[in-house]
Amino acid sequence: MSVNYIEPKLTIELASQCVKCSACRSVCPTYSVVKEERSSPRGRLALAEMVVSGEMPLTEDVVAQWNQCAMCRRCEWICPNEVEYKEIMFRARNLGKEKAKRDIFKEVVFKGLAMMGNPLTKIGMKFAPSLLSAYGKALGKEVPEYNSVYIDVGIPKYAKLMPKPSAKPFGLRGKEVKTEKPKGRLLFFTGCMIDAFHGKTGESVLKLMEKAGYDVVVPKDIRCCGAPHLYSGEIEAFNKLMEHNKKEIDKYEFDAIVVACPTCGGALKEEYHYPVKDFAEILREEGFYTFKGNGEKVTFHFPCHSYTAMKTNPNVFRDVLQNVKDVSYVEGEEAMMCCGFAGYFSVANYEVASELQKRKVEDIKKTEATYVLSDCPGCVLNIADGMYKHDYYKNIKVMHLAEYLAERLIEEGE
């Protein structure tokens, strides 16, 4: 097993890449809300450069500016000089950990993610559906339209619409799908949210890949990919997760890893150095478009990490949806703008995240679609949460693209 461990040091050579052209400000979600230079990618990079060069001391305020970034990486997507923003920022955050205000809730969340898939979490998740249902019934916050419960403990930033955990958490682990004449063999890296909450999404991916002609295997003992830890500067935790996952993944033979979460896919591609494809990429490559709707209008939210971290061409999703029979595809004006989730960002930067979420909901409303689809479980969660908070959840269904397509497969003979 070969592991390329990530080094935490932020060098002046890396920190000084930005030429301060300001192109990044036009696409930065946080800058679009805050409208302050230091809240732009250019501003954050300037702070990093000054700290590393010794021109400015590392202060709590500097660290707060770094931590206000959603790490969507849209700045990289538009940067004419290919500045390695992610590489600079996670090292800057690692450098600033001792100056950051302690966030106990964040520590619990990140430790929980690191434990995902171990025996303790598997046992705990078995009881989660009944506990969440009991909570919803007691407080009258169940949302049957989305099979979810709205959790509200009286603190706005922690109030979230949460999907009920999967009836069989981690139920896909170790599963294999075989076809008669396979075109190839894929390893499906499910990811934390699919394992814990969106089991149907995972089952849909397996079904679609089987119909497209591929054998698929799901590794038994994977953990969180570590992307949330890496992006937050928790480099040591990321390295441990990567080491564990590579040891497990390398037990299997496969041609490529298939994902239904672009954040996982980005980490597996950029840090783990595996060949990675989004399930929709495979459908498009195979020209597999045997789907039929019921005359509905659909729109699509493009997850930031799909075209920044994974570098998936947005036309992949457009082509797949435009080839679904009896479906009208309409795209929002801000379909490629960040929805405001970005993992823990939506909690730590609640005001900014809420404004981005509101904009996303308003943009989707304008499309008059009856379905909003996305390729990221986190985005699906956040958009559904936004629809509920802005009282639009009864008008529109929020789904992962894989689930939507699997439900509309045209079987042989139809």
Side-chain angles (χ1 to χ4, degrees):
M1 178 188 66
S2 175
V3 179
N4 300 306
Y5 294 103
I6 303 299
E7 294 293 333
K9 186 177 181 181
L10 177 60
T11 64
I12 186 62
E13 290 79 16
L14 190 61
S16 60
Q17 287 183 353
C18 179
V19 299
K20 317 298 187 293
C21 73
S22 86
C24 56
R25 297 201 305 182
S26 66
V27 297
C28 176
T30 53
Y31 179 76
S32 73
V33 175
V34 181
K35 297 293 185 184
E36 291 183 3
E37 174 62 23
R38 61 181 186 167
S39 296
S40 71
R42 181 176 73 171
R44 295 187 181 105
L45 293 179
L47 290 173
E49 183 179 356
M50 287 188 283
V51 168
V52 175
S53 67
E55 294 178 51
M56 174 184 285
L58 180 60
T59 65
E60 187 178 294
D61 183 58
V62 168
V63 174
Q65 293 306 314
W66 290 338
N67 288 337
Q68 194 186 60
C69 172
M71 290 296 280
C72 65
R73 300 173 58 183
R74 283 167 55 82
C75 51
E76 291 180 23
W77 171 60
I78 201 172
C79 180
N81 297 303
E82 299 183 347
V83 172
E84 299 172 276
Y85 182 84
K86 179 202 75 173
E87 299 293 323
I88 300 169
M89 197 49 52
F90 76 69
R91 288 179 170 85
R93 288 177 167 181
N94 180 265
L95 181 66
K97 282 196 300 181
E98 292 184 6
K99 292 286 185 179
K101 286 185 178 180
R102 188 175 185 189
D103 187 336
I104 296 176
F105 185 71
K106 178 182 178 180
E107 292 176 15
V108 171
V109 169
F110 276 55
K111 285 180 181 178
L113 286 173
M115 293 172 64
M116 286 292 280
N118 73 9
L120 184 62
T121 56
K122 287 181 179 179
I123 294 171
M125 287 302 297
K126 287 182 179 180
F127 298 98
S130 57
L131 290 173
L132 197 59
S133 290
Y135 176 93
K137 288 176 182 177
L139 299 179
K141 298 288 185 178
E142 280 200 292
V143 184
E145 291 87 352
Y146 289 167
N147 191 33
S148 300
V149 172
Y150 186 66
I151 296 177
D152 187 357
V153 294
I155 304 174
K157 69 178 182 179
Y158 297 130
K160 273 285 183 190
L161 184 72
M162 292 296 294
K164 291 183 180 179
S166 172
K168 295 180 180 179
F170 309 100
L172 296 178
R173 297 292 184 87
K175 190 168 184 178
E176 287 197 52
V177 171
K178 294 190 180 241
T179 57
E180 288 187 11
K181 297 180 180 179
K183 298 174 182 177
R185 182 173 170 83
L186 303 170
L187 182 143
F188 179 29
F189 192 96
T190 47
C192 300
M193 289 200 67
I194 288 177
D195 273 334
F197 296 103
H198 297 289
K200 188 177 178 182
T201 298
E203 292 169 2
S204 298
V205 172
L206 294 181
K207 184 177 181 179
L208 292 170
M209 294 301 94
E210 180 184 14
K211 293 293 184 180
Y214 285 85
D215 286 352
V216 189
V217 61
V218 183
K220 293 180 180 179
D221 189 28
I222 51 172
R223 302 284 164 83
C224 173
C225 68
H229 305 79
L230 180 67
Y231 284 10
S232 292
E234 300 291 340
I235 298 174
E236 183 179 354
F238 171 79
N239 282 332
K240 288 180 180 178
L241 287 167
M242 179 168 63
E243 181 180 23
H244 173 92
N245 287 332
K246 283 186 71 72
K247 184 177 180 180
E248 172 66 13
I249 290 170
D250 290 345
K251 293 177 183 177
Y252 303 86
E253 292 185 3
F254 57 90
D255 301 308
I257 293 178
V258 63
V259 296
C261 171
T263 301
C264 290
L268 293 166
K269 195 172 190 177
E270 295 180 322
E271 272 70 50
Y272 289 52
H273 303 295
Y274 286 119
V276 183
K277 290 185 178 181
D278 187 278
F279 80 94
E281 282 186 276
I282 294 171
L283 296 179
R284 189 200 197 201
E285 288 173 0
E286 297 297 332
F288 187 83
Y289 299 134
T290 56
F291 309 104
K292 185 177 180 180
N294 295 301
E296 67 266 30
K297 182 185 287 189
V298 304
T299 191
F300 189 78
H301 163 71
F302 296 86
C304 300
H305 287 168
S306 69
Y307 57 90
T308 62
M310 278 195 68
K311 296 179 174 56
T312 303
N313 188 328
N315 286 329
V316 166
F317 306 108
R318 294 185 179 110
D319 286 351
V320 170
L321 285 169
Q322 286 169 351
N323 279 284
V324 179
K325 296 177 182 178
D326 295 335
V327 163
S328 175
Y329 172 65
V330 57
E331 198 164 293
E333 293 179 8
E334 296 192 352
M336 293 183 69
M337 177 53 89
C338 177
C339 71
F341 180 57
Y344 194 73
F345 169 86
S346 62
V347 175
N349 298 281
Y350 174 73
E351 291 79 11
V352 175
S354 295
E355 178 60 29
L356 293 171
Q357 183 189 61
K358 180 182 177 182
R359 290 183 188 177
K360 178 58 64 173
V361 170
E362 289 175 348
D363 188 56
I364 291 169
K365 282 183 180 180
K366 291 176 185 176
T367 68
E368 298 183 344
T370 50
Y371 286 84
V372 54
L373 310 173
S374 189
D375 188 48
C376 170
C379 294
V380 170
L381 164 66
N382 193 55
I383 293 172
D385 177 67
M387 293 297 173
Y388 178 77
K389 288 176 177 174
H390 295 281
D391 198 28
Y392 200 65
Y393 65 101
K394 293 182 180 179
N395 302 76
I396 191 165
K397 183 76 172 175
V398 185
M399 295 180 72
H400 193 286
L401 177 63
E403 283 190 45
Y404 177 83
L405 293 175
E407 288 182 2
R408 285 155 182 77
L409 268 169
I410 300 173
E411 300 294 342
E412 291 184 16
E414 288 189 39

